Amino acid sequence: MKLTEDEIRKITLSAIEELGDKATPDNVKSIVKKAVESFDSSPSDIKMNESSGRAILTSFGLNKPGIVASITKAISQCQCDIYDLSQKIMGDFFTMIMVVDLTNSPSDLKTVQEELAKVAEELKIKIYLQHEDVFRFMHRI
Amino acid sequence: MPYEFDEILETIRMTEVEHFDIRTVTLGISLRDCHDRNIEVTKQKIYDKIMKYGKNHVKYAREIEAKYGISIANKRISITPVSIPFDPFHAEEFIEIAKILDKAAEEIGIDYLAGYSALVQKGMTNGERELIQSIPYALASTKRVCSSVNIASTKAGINMDAILMMAEAIKKTAELTKDRDSIGCAKLVVFANAVEDNPFVAGAFHGISEPEVTLNVGISGPGVVLDAIKEAGYCNTQGLAEVIKKTIFKITRAGELIGRKVAEKHGVPFGIVDVSLAPTPAEGDSIADILMAMGLEDVGGPGTTAALAMLNDSVKKAGLMASGVVGGMSGAFIPVSEDMGMIRAVENGNLTIEKLEAMTAVCSVGLDMIAVPGDTTASTIAGIIADEAAIGVINDKTTAVRIIPAYGKKEGESVDYGGLLGKAPIMSVKRISCEKFIGRGGRIPAPMRSLTN
């Protein structure tokens, strides 16, 4: 989690305000540095506050052996956790919906999407990976 | 599973099959601190300011698109109405400003930048007069700049002098851009009761009560509503209103999420969600098709106004429930050239300007993207604008006219811009003169707000 310039400026301003008359360039600098470091060392906490680190994976296409294996392999290589899984065969079609947790994964959503795009191309199926928030906003008040 | 199978499939279907997209994320930037006596310094200030806030606009929007799997059709920028901060300048200098705006838009990688505007509902300053005179030349010498002028409001009345000036500006713009089917007119909107936070180009501008910079979002999704109505099958109109509301609710929620996330990335305050049904020339992304799915044989026949009124009202109700910050136009748009169903209805002879005018009394905006014969006189165009403004002023709503007197073309022909602007068949206009009425000039007084019969 990297702080933006604006956020750092806000931290600095509130530090100066709290210090009042005692504010000197040196002690403000050390306080801000400490604050920024503490943010850096607890990345998962901040992610949780923002929104969940989960994403919904939807895949469908003509059924063939090895689809689940290929998808789960790609996901585990990205060190993502599978939270929930539901899979159905409808006629010749394969459908699967997964809730994937990316919180402890070193790769971001985009990287995982790119990995899955490779799998989708190989198996000639569709795979969508979307952040959970869009489902939460649309279907939960 | 935290979500039902059906809910997940519904979202996927909306985003992947039914063309649900965010129509626009528009970054509003104030240019009020960019004036300098020296035009060169002014230009530099404008360029720097727009680049400062806007340079990552497209990049951020793309990142959010990938993250949530919802596409954002347009990334755009609106600015303070140019006539306000740069009032002391003359027409030639305003054209220079338009060119620098065009350059900034190109640099950022956006298709349109809007706000080459003036607000003259009550009267005109010298700068505003100069700006209006410069509009045809500015639009002819740029690709990405859009212009709008507000000529009437419920509080001030209708400025007839400004209407005539705008009608002449529209004619001149058509002439100057005749080699491209008078495309300049597609970037020029005449408003009554213009809103300050509209994210939809060409009529967008960053109003004078807006903050330094803000991000507004316009949702879309006629395709989603169309499919929901088809799926609902036969039900009474109350049931139909319910179906529309449920669908709009969901897409508004998604729209707000996307808008907030883009604003967060920019580090700028989030403005409003404009809950509008905006068509595109893509098949199935049409307001006309929705009205037909509701039970009309074609758009333009009896029943059209009532169906549109219900659609528009349901859109607003659902939007207000779904988002705390609804603003802008918020309703259904009926731009003829951008809607395959509307084009078809005009070509079949079922939809006329007069019926469109009635429709604008109950829906968002007004006579939008309408092509008329090139020999239509300025006073007739002024009459059309005045009629539309009257509907807006009396009913306390926004109305607008975006009309294209296609230079050198006649009824039966069409203008074709391709892309989002689409194709407009040239419609017939009554040749009864209103020249003496328009020629009187002056201002129609503001209307009374009681005894509303």
Side-chain angles (χ1 to χ4, degrees):
Chain A
M1 176 71 192
K2 267 200 99 61
L3 287 170
T4 64
E5 239 176 82
D6 252 12
E7 284 163 328
I8 295 173
R9 195 175 305 128
K10 271 184 207 158
I11 294 170
T12 315
L13 288 176
S14 62
I16 293 170
E17 202 172 301
E18 269 189 38
L19 285 168
D21 294 343
K22 284 179 241 157
T24 66
D26 278 344
N27 64 19
V28 172
K29 202 170 164 188
S30 75
I31 288 171
V32 173
K33 203 172 169 197
K34 251 187 227 165
V36 173
E37 272 167 8
S38 77
F39 269 104
D40 280 343
S41 61
S42 56
S44 56
D45 288 350
I46 296 164
K47 256 191 191 171
M48 289 305 282
N49 288 340
E50 271 189 338
S51 58
S52 84
R54 291 190 305 211
I56 310 270
L57 182 150
T58 326
S59 68
F60 51 89
L62 274 180
N63 189 29
K64 58 178 84 74
I67 297 183
V68 178
S70 307
I71 294 175
T72 47
K73 191 177 158 209
I75 290 173
S76 73
Q77 273 168 357
C78 296
Q79 292 178 42
C80 303
D81 207 6
I82 297 173
Y83 213 80
D84 206 340
L85 187 155
S86 145
Q87 191 249 304
K88 262 185 201 157
I89 303 290
M90 300 193 221
D92 289 341
F93 278 90
F94 162 89
T95 61
M96 180 168 72
I97 295 174
M98 254 184 205
V99 182
V100 184
D101 194 343
L102 281 86
T103 318
N104 297 316
S105 161
S107 26
D108 58 6
L109 194 77
K110 204 175 162 212
T111 328
V112 184
Q113 277 172 338
E114 282 162 7
E115 285 303 312
L116 287 168
K118 286 181 207 159
V119 177
E121 199 172 322
E122 218 170 272
L123 297 171
K124 304 224 169 0
I125 57 168
K126 292 260 183 204
I127 303 181
Y128 301 113
L129 186 71
Q130 290 163 279
H131 197 276
E132 186 201 24
D133 281 357
V134 64
F135 297 90
R136 189 155 53 86
F137 262 72
M138 279 172 109
H139 301 289
R140 298 283 177 271
I141 302 178
Chain B
M1 189 160 282
Y3 305 96
E4 301 291 327
F5 213 83
D6 291 346
E7 291 173 338
I8 290 172
L9 288 184
E10 187 183 13
T11 300
I12 299 287
R13 199 181 65 203
M14 280 182 178
T15 54
E16 301 300 328
V17 184
E18 297 166 347
H19 304 296
F20 164 55
D21 54 19
I22 305 301
R23 187 66 190 272
T24 177
V25 286
T26 304
L27 189 66
I29 303 173
S30 165
L31 295 186
R32 274 151 70 190
D33 56 352
C34 294
H35 179 261
D36 190 278
R37 274 196 298 184
N38 182 329
I39 179 70
E40 291 306 321
V41 178
T42 302
K43 277 163 63 182
Q44 192 60 44
K45 277 184 167 178
I46 293 173
Y47 183 80
D48 291 347
K49 181 99 186 251
I50 293 175
M51 293 313 283
K52 178 184 167 196
Y53 288 114
K55 67 174 186 293
N56 289 323
H57 190 37
V58 175
K59 180 175 152 235
Y60 289 159
R62 292 235 168 94
E63 283 174 23
I64 296 293
E65 269 180 310
K67 184 170 181 186
Y68 295 100
I70 293 179
S71 80
I72 301 172
N74 302 306
K75 297 93 184 164
R76 284 162 178 175
I77 287 179
S78 66
I79 51 165
T80 311
V82 165
S83 69
I84 293 170
F86 311 116
D87 202 46
F89 286 137
H90 297 287
E92 310 80 62
E93 287 148 334
F94 278 121
I95 296 167
E96 288 293 302
I97 290 174
K99 285 179 182 160
I100 198 75
L101 292 172
D102 202 41
K103 187 175 159 214
E106 186 180 0
E107 195 77 14
I108 291 167
I110 54 171
D111 56 354
Y112 293 115
L113 178 151
Y116 194 77
S117 306
L119 311 173
V120 296
Q121 59 269 36
K122 185 98 181 262
M124 249 180 255
T125 64
N126 292 331
E128 282 161 345
R129 188 168 287 113
E130 293 282 333
L131 179 109
I132 291 176
Q133 280 162 357
S134 77
I135 287 174
Y137 303 95
L139 294 180
S141 55
T142 58
K143 257 175 85 180
R144 295 175 170 79
V145 175
C146 292
S147 174
S148 57
V149 174
N150 192 58
I151 47 82
S153 77
T154 301
K155 290 272 193 300
I158 304 172
N159 186 341
M160 297 299 281
D161 294 328
I163 287 183
L164 190 56
M165 273 185 82
M166 283 313 295
E168 277 156 4
I170 289 169
K171 288 281 286 179
K172 188 76 190 164
T173 307
E175 189 190 333
L176 291 177
T177 53
K178 63 183 174 194
D179 51 335
R180 280 174 294 157
D181 272 350
S182 303
I183 195 171
C185 298
K187 298 181 284 176
L188 176 55
V189 186
V190 187
F191 269 117
N193 287 326
V195 284
E196 298 202 323
D197 48 10
N198 167 23
F200 286 100
V201 168
F205 61 84
H206 185 71
I208 47 169
S209 57
E210 294 286 307
E212 175 79 359
V213 56
T214 183
L215 190 118
N216 297 325
V217 50
I219 65 152
S220 175
V224 183
V225 176
L226 177 65
D227 282 15
I229 290 175
K230 280 184 182 162
E231 204 171 291
Y234 186 78
C235 56
N236 70 8
T237 40
Q238 254 163 343
L240 206 53
E242 216 38 45
V243 170
I244 298 169
K245 280 199 294 188
K246 277 184 189 152
T247 313
I248 295 287
F249 179 86
K250 286 173 189 158
I251 63 182
T252 307
R253 295 281 292 173
E256 175 161 352
L257 170 72
I258 301 293
R260 282 194 188 280
K261 293 294 172 186
V262 177
E264 209 171 88
K265 270 214 173 277
H266 272 289
V268 307
F270 180 59
I272 56 101
V273 184
D274 189 324
V275 192
S276 288
L277 282 183
T280 68
E283 196 61 52
D285 218 13
S286 152
I287 304 297
D289 287 354
I290 296 177
L291 299 177
M292 285 164 74
M294 285 164 84
L296 301 174
E297 187 186 333
D298 200 358
V299 182
T304 306
T305 312
L308 183 60
M310 191 186 94
L311 173 66
N312 197 56
D313 185 60
S314 306
V315 168
K316 282 184 208 288
K317 282 174 179 161
L320 283 170
M321 173 75 189
S323 166
V325 286
V326 173
M329 301 287 187
S330 288
F333 289 0
I334 48 169
V336 174
S337 76
E338 298 170 13
D339 187 319
M340 289 305 283
M342 295 281 178
I343 295 172
R344 205 173 46 228
V346 173
E347 283 171 347
N348 293 344
N350 292 334
L351 184 60
T352 61
I353 288 194
E354 288 74 22
K355 187 63 183 178
L356 272 167
E357 189 183 307
M359 288 160 74
T360 64
V362 299
C363 82
S364 194
V365 206
L367 293 174
D368 198 8
M369 289 302 283
I370 287 169
V372 295
D375 61 356
T376 312
T377 63
S379 61
T380 301
I381 292 174
I384 293 172
I385 297 172
D387 284 348
E388 200 54 41
I391 290 173
V393 165
I394 300 291
N395 294 313
D396 211 356
K397 73 185 285 293
T398 306
T399 51
V401 175
R402 184 156 52 141
I403 192 168
I404 304 149
Y407 192 85
K409 293 208 172 183
K410 288 187 205 62
E411 199 186 323
E413 293 179 83
S414 64
V415 291
D416 196 347
Y417 305 118
L420 271 179
L421 293 175
K423 171 190 157 197
I426 293 172
M427 301 175 81
S428 88
V429 178
K430 285 230 166 73
R431 306 242 159 202
I432 310 164
S433 171
C434 61
E435 202 174 346
K436 282 185 189 156
F437 172 65
I438 297 295
R440 286 172 189 267
R443 184 161 55 87
I444 297 182
M448 67 181 295
R449 311 288 303 125
S450 63
L451 294 171
T452 52
N453 300 308

